[in-house]
Amino acid sequence: MGKLDIRSLNFTELTDVLTNRGLPKFRAVQVYAWLHEKGVSDFSEMTNLPKALRETLAEECTLHNCKIDTKLVSTLDETVKYLFELGEGEYVESVVMKYKYGYTICISTQLGCKMGCSFCASAIGGFRRHLLPSEMLSEILTAQRDLGVRISHIVLMGTGEPLDNYDNVLRFLELVTDEKGLNISMRHISLSTCGVVPRIYDLAEKRLGLTLSVSLHAPNDAIRSKTMPVNQKWSVETLLEACRYYTEVTSRRISFEYAMIDSFNDSDACARELASRLRGMLCHINLIPVNTVREKNYQKSSEDRLRRFSQILEQNGLTVTVRRTLGSDINASCGQLRASKTQRR
Ligand code: SAH
């Protein structure tokens, strides 16, 4: 049997594990604090435990630490990109961005991705496996420790489709927001999905208070299906219906991501069609000039196009922002560093 993934247990489960071995309950309080509040990377750091207990834990449990393989720091805006090694020759990437309100980390939720969006570097190399709750936590703990700062915001927008790793992501959210742990507010967490419709309904029922981002990238099925295979399973209308349901149940605004690709989805007609489909919805649109990934030949829309597109949306009563590009000198968008590492291998 494999070792116990102790950092993925919640407090109740950890307490059961330890008390079943005849240990007093306060040991669970101590161990949980080391794992989640202090974020140790080794059992030997748990200095208020008896040495014998530390040794037993080390024998029977594993911490699934991320090790820093590569760290790139942007000279433009202090964005830091990490390529972490997870063992077994697997790599995962995270990006830390500095904003006026604090540090935000963009974490990966899977090794690779099944969704196959044609503009996205995460699809390169295919899907390897889901990340465990402990591994997602370790992305944050490792970056935080390395930088010596407190990370206050999380976006689940790195490699992978969070709603395709639903149970692990939900457990991760439970642990990372725990007052006895990293204690990051649910209001400071965004989860981005390409549109796994049944899971959007499930997530709505949880009423978590996080921000749901939906990668729309097109106003209709004809355009969306060309770049996003997921659209063949759940059409734009099916997706928008789930989004409407989500906003009704949670009263939370949805953020639609729209990557602007030159002469593909950035015409005035696209903007008008998008506006007519989203009108009246509790939402916000985030326009992103598509990031050119070396392996793909999509080009960014021009500044003029972006301005005109957002103007049309605004004239139709929608709220729009154009996402600022951070870390452009270090290839900071998702999947690119991992893809280059995987290809070198
Ligand atoms: N699987 C999730 C989260 C990961 S991708 C999702 O699809 O939402 C995070 C965001 O980056 C998504 O909106 C995705 O569509 C976008 N993205 C991927 N590749 C991009 C690129 N080359 N340029 C701009 N945005 C991109």
Side-chain angles (χ1 to χ4, degrees), residues 234-248:
W234 296 291
S235 68
V236 172
E237 198 37 51
T238 313
L239 173 58
L240 293 182
E241 228 174 82
C243 292
R244 275 182 222 109
Y245 180 81
Y246 186 91
T247 59
E248 277 158 24

Side-chain angles (χ1 to χ4, degrees), residues 106-110 113 115 117-122 156-164 191-196 213-217 224 228 230 256-261 286 288-293 296 298 300 323 333-336:
C106 173
I107 67 161
S108 295
T109 54
Q110 295 178 319
C113 187
M115 299 299 141
C117 301
S118 63
F119 43 79
C120 180
S122 303
L156 279 70
M157 287 193 184
T159 301
E161 168 49 50
L163 297 188
D164 183 48
L191 183 154
S192 181
T193 179
C194 65
V196 181
S213 288
V214 173
S215 302
L216 194 56
H217 304 321
R224 196 165 191 262
M228 301 183 70
V230 68
F256 287 106
E257 309 290 308
Y258 197 102
M260 299 275 291
I261 305 174
N286 206 351
I288 316 149
V290 77
N291 252 297
T292 0
V293 177
K296 319 272 175 175
Y298 295 106
K300 280 184 182 33
R323 189 187 288 169
S333 17
C334 50
Q336 299 193 36

Side-chain angles (χ1 to χ4, degrees), residues 18-19 22-29:
L18 297 185
T19 51
L23 290 159
K25 199 175 161 209
F26 76 88
R27 290 292 178 213
V29 176

